[in-house]
Amino acid sequence: MIDIKNLHKSFGNNEILKGIDLQINKGETAVIIGPSGSGKTTLLRCINLLEIPNEGSIAIGESKLVFNGNKKISNNEILELRKGTGMVFQGFYLFPHMTVIENIMEGQITVLKVSREEASKKALKLLAKVGLLEKKDHYPYELSGGQQQRVAIARAMAMEPEVILFDEPTSALDPELAAEVMKVMKELSREGMTMVVVTHKMSFAREAAHKVVFMDDGLIVEAGTPQQVFENTSNERLKQFLSIVDD
């Protein structure tokens, strides 16, 4: 499903990703953990081509791009790879002038070119899935942060991506609201949605991940099942990180 090989990304002279190799199978939830500045979010943004890697390759499903600092990637190539992904950010980025259901319909109509009737039908189904059907005609400012993030997840799902990328989806939320969002994400994981999740929530990684990836200083230091990473690691840097993480 996702195959990343020898991925490098620098900003000026600052090398953030230093040769990432990562494979994620269809239906897996991969959770990326690590200290701040380790390259987690940059890796996620490279997968979605919000940042263009300097070197290496990314394949998502049948689409693949090879990066070389001297070769310009075209907009069509970016769109071809990106259409297989949905992204849920730290901030919710809902359209403030649109209702909840309109937010979920918009991409379907403008990008997928489906009818308003079909878009509405899918939006209602997804709102029921995330437990917000009764909020369909509300505006974002009328929702809690947890509710807004659940709408953002529904919006990403409406585009029928092969994989959904989550960048610290609960970091701006208090524990109760974060639990609402995590509940939806765990359900998606159980249903076999392919997901890549950057988070500081170790409890989510333990409970929902098929694969846990520990990054430090731009490298993948260890990757394995939750049991391997949390209980059986022999890596001292990972042990140190886990000893100071409170969730």
Side-chain angles (χ1 to χ4, degrees), residues 82-130:
R82 190 181 285 166
K83 74 179 183 183
T85 69
M87 188 131 179
V88 178
F89 299 90
Q90 236 174 6
F92 319 122
Y93 300 119
L94 301 178
F95 297 116
H97 61 290
M98 292 183 181
T99 62
V100 164
I101 191 169
E102 288 169 342
N103 264 278
I104 300 172
M105 291 170 61
E106 179 67 14
Q108 298 181 66
I109 294 168
T110 58
V111 179
L112 299 183
K113 307 300 183 186
V114 304
S115 68
R116 290 192 67 83
E117 182 182 3
E118 187 180 342
S120 175
K121 197 177 295 184
K122 186 189 289 185
L124 290 172
K125 184 178 177 182
L126 289 170
L127 282 171
K129 188 179 189 70
V130 300

Side-chain angles (χ1 to χ4, degrees), residues 144-158:
S144 71
Q147 289 169 335
Q148 290 188 58
Q149 193 62 293
R150 282 147 65 193
V151 174
I153 293 172
R155 181 177 61 181
M157 291 167 59

